[in-house]
Amino acid sequence: MSVEHFDFIGAVDTYFDQAAAHTKINKGILEQIKACNSVYYMKFPVKIGNDYKVVEAYRAQHSHHRMPTKGGIRYSEHASQEEVMALAALMTYKCALVDVPFGGAKGGIKINPRNFTEGQLQRVTRRYAFELAKKNFIGPGIDVPAPDMGTGAREMSWIMDTYVSFNPGENAIGCVTGKPVTQGGVRGRTEATGRGVYYGLKEICSYEKDMKELGLEPGLEGKKVIVQGFGNVGYYAAEIIHDNGGIIVGVAEYEGAIYNPEGLDPRAVLKHRKETGSILNYGNGAKDIKDSLSCLEQPCDILIPAAIEGVITKKNASKIKAKIIGEAANGPVSPEGAKILTKRGIMVVPDMYLNAGGVTVSYFEWLKNLSHVRFGRMNKRFNQASFQNILGVVEDFTGRTLTDKEKEAVTHGGDEIDIVNSGLEETMIGAYAQIREQLKRARNVHDLRTAAFMVSIKKVASAYENLGVFP
Ligand code: GLU
């Protein structure tokens, strides 16, 4: 699934410029918004067996218009300064779009985590966290990393532990998000990006008029979906869409892809991959596709690239059969590819919106850490008692007594997971309304990405007005 060199910064800047041209914002302010404020490039030695390996790593902070800065850390052989800078810029626009009050950042460690033991990975991660701390590049009010490609809750707990050892304090655990729930994490963070993809697509598909223009029926139910990338984002997106009536017809991974127009069960596919080490030979009526990238060209209604950047370009954009492309990955579609898709009447749902669920729930985790209280702890029982009182009055009034199951459904007070998911859904619905409204209002703008960029740029610009300029 690897792609040739992709000019990621060039792509993000092109998208930015296309949108900026439709605004009346001062040129200097636009230049400041676009610029990456700081990048820390580091090299450090890590002892692997009897050898010393020099590890290259990065952390880019794109914008300090809101603090802290925020964004994941990716472990990948392809990590580079250009890549983290492009990803950090996307984080700025993403956070602004969904009203998460952070600047954008991103980190990368240039390793293939599969080639390291757990102990070695721990050493690399802790050393990276230590380097960040030494240069004041991490902290609950400074820069707050999170999981990205190749990292998860385990890495975040190592980062937290390293940071807290050197900087103890009541808010110290807010230095990183995506932590295990037992270590200050929030329920629902692991699946948040995938769940956000589902909420976003569900919202988009609910507009009858928009669906008609695409030649589709309204509603996500019954839609045929191909997912590229079966990692944390792609897997949960597939599972939640499947559980809510969507039909997952194709799954692509780097070793190959499988396709079944009748539908695949994401849980069974994951189990098969875990057991055999490959997605191929899944059976159950699915056909194997050896050339993984060509799976993107199979028939479906919605195509969800959830792996890496630059997978849909001018080379394959004309062969895509989907009517909607949901960018769950960051930067999966190149500007030339996007142009072809838009011309063909295909709707591209931009990354900065569709995958914002991860950072949104990271924001909730950070709030939980700073407030030192679990969501739902203060009001769950109170709400439950109030609902029970109301229900009692209704039962008296109507003469009908509800069953215990019905009562539970009506009076249930929100647990942490309920509150997190409802906050996430509200965020995805609210942000889409802003993008759609902007698209309707702007003249000569025909795609959701340009509209989304316009919304973000205006928000960041308003944060700069009259500020940060020293005479
Ligand atoms: N890595 C995720 C992203 O690209 C999440 C970042 C975060 O939670 O800070 O949006």
Side-chain angles (χ1 to χ4, degrees), residues 70-72 91 94 106 144 146-148 177 189 330 355 358-359 362:
K70 188 88 190 75
M91 287 307 301
K94 190 184 303 188
K106 195 69 130 208
V144 182
D148 199 83
T177 59
R189 174 63 186 85
N330 288 308
N355 71 29
V359 77
S362 275

Side-chain angles (χ1 to χ4, degrees), residues 199-251:
Y199 286 143
L201 290 172
K202 181 179 156 204
E203 182 60 12
I204 287 162
C205 291
S206 72
Y207 288 90
E208 203 175 329
K209 182 175 163 281
D210 300 358
M211 290 304 105
K212 211 171 172 190
E213 277 171 25
L214 294 170
L216 294 171
E217 291 294 318
L220 189 53
E221 300 80 15
K223 296 265 182 307
K224 297 198 166 189
V225 180
I226 294 177
V227 180
Q228 181 204 30
F230 219 43
N232 187 54
V233 178
Y235 173 70
Y236 282 111
E239 184 189 283
I240 299 169
I241 289 170
H242 168 84
D243 290 349
N244 287 280
I247 305 167
I248 307 300
V249 293
V251 175

Side-chain angles (χ1 to χ4, degrees), residues 98-100 186-188 192 195-196 199-200 353 356-365 367 375 414-431:
V98 293
D99 294 320
V100 165
V186 75
R187 285 166 187 80
R195 181 171 286 280
Y199 286 143
Y353 166 66
V359 77
T360 299
V361 175
S362 275
Y363 170 46
F364 300 158
E365 179 175 333
L367 291 174
F375 294 107
D415 287 309
E416 182 167 80
I417 187 71
D418 304 314
I419 295 169
V420 163
N421 287 347
S422 118
L424 173 58
E425 186 170 16
E426 161 67 11
T427 302
M428 296 308 291
I429 292 174

Side-chain angles (χ1 to χ4, degrees), residues 159-169 172-173 175:
I159 291 173
M160 176 190 77
D161 192 46
T162 308
Y163 177 82
V164 171
S165 312
F166 293 99
N167 301 277
I173 67 166
C175 68

